[in-house]
Amino acid sequence: MTINSTSQPINITFPLPSDQLLHLIQFNVYRAFISIKRTINTISLDPTTCPVFGPCLDDTTRYPPNPNIPSSLAPTALQLSQYHFPWINIMPFARFRDNLIRREGRFDNFELWRDMVGDLMSYTAAPWQRGTPFSFSTSATEPEESQGLMLEDYIDTDELTAGRNGLIIWGEPHDMHSWEATPGFLTKWSWAVEGCEELVEIGNRWRTRRGAEPMRLSRRH
């Protein structure tokens, strides 16, 4: 495909190379998160900071839920009762959000963000975002030990997901059925997606559409 610009034509060959495809996937996820923040009336405190993970005011944690907020984004009891970083509220899976809140201060936020949006996080890395867990609450209870969500071991050969620990967005950001989690993401962040078996089911629908091998929950789960 050729794109004509004011300078000279730009030739783009499909399918995209693996590295370009990854950047496109992560950029779409980034845009989806911004869309969700607008949906839940999240207001950025500083226009020069990251519009997704930067400091902000979040109506959903301070006022009664807006009845127009999609059910997938409606705040849980834990969101309404425990202080936490507002970026957690943009995840369209309630159990995922609660798991993040329970572990807040005990995992590397920046590493999780990088897995989801890649190098788009390079320009928003405050010191507390790199390698040092950070939490709003100093009284969070220690979560019970668990194995998390466990997948059967297999070699992922799908070109969209193999070797990647991230998410893919295919439709409306607020709709949980628009999201696909890679096997690598579900394995690496198994504690965060504990109880989110629907992520496996939804992911398999997208994988089946393109002829990829479906994921399977471990029998030990």
Side-chain angles (χ1 to χ4, degrees), residues 93 148-152 154 167 176-177 179-187 189-190 193-208 210 212-218 221:
F93 297 89
L149 187 148
M150 299 179 65
L151 298 178
E152 287 186 356
Y154 77 104
L167 302 173
M176 66 174 64
H177 295 93
W179 292 88
E180 178 181 350
T182 69
F185 183 87
L186 296 178
T187 299
W189 301 101
S190 61
V193 295
E194 180 186 9
C196 301
E197 286 78 8
E198 67 271 20
L199 276 170
V200 177
E201 179 182 351
I202 295 169
N204 281 340
R205 291 176 186 170
W206 293 110
R207 295 177 69 85
T208 300
R210 58 179 182 268
E213 182 181 356
M215 301 176 286
R216 295 179 178 84
L217 286 171
S218 171
H221 184 264

Side-chain angles (χ1 to χ4, degrees), residues 16-135:
L16 292 173
S18 178
D19 58 339
Q20 292 184 22
L21 181 60
L22 176 59
H23 290 315
L24 178 60
I25 289 172
Q26 292 172 336
F27 178 70
N28 285 340
V29 169
Y30 190 78
R31 290 183 60 190
F33 284 155
I34 293 176
S35 174
I36 290 176
K37 291 192 76 172
R38 290 171 178 164
T39 299
I40 60 178
N41 298 323
T42 302
I43 305 170
S44 177
L45 290 175
D46 183 352
T48 65
T49 61
C50 173
V52 174
F53 304 111
C56 60
L57 293 174
D58 191 340
D59 290 347
T60 62
T61 57
R62 300 190 301 158
Y63 304 109
N66 184 332
N68 295 322
I69 291 179
S71 58
S72 62
L73 299 173
T76 65
L78 185 60
Q79 284 177 264
L80 294 172
S81 62
Q82 183 167 312
Y83 286 114
H84 59 279
F85 269 107
W87 69 265
I88 292 176
N89 301 330
I90 66 178
M91 303 300 167
F93 297 89
R95 181 63 182 270
F96 188 17
R97 297 194 297 270
D98 281 355
N99 290 342
L100 292 174
I101 293 173
R102 292 190 180 99
R103 289 289 187 104
E104 195 174 31
R106 301 182 180 91
F107 69 94
D108 187 343
N109 306 46
F110 188 78
E111 184 177 358
L112 174 60
W113 300 342
R114 285 293 299 268
D115 280 348
M116 293 189 291
V117 300
D119 291 338
L120 292 169
M121 284 304 306
S122 298
Y123 306 103
T124 59
W128 57 266
Q129 290 176 323
R130 287 186 180 273
T132 304
F134 189 86
S135 174

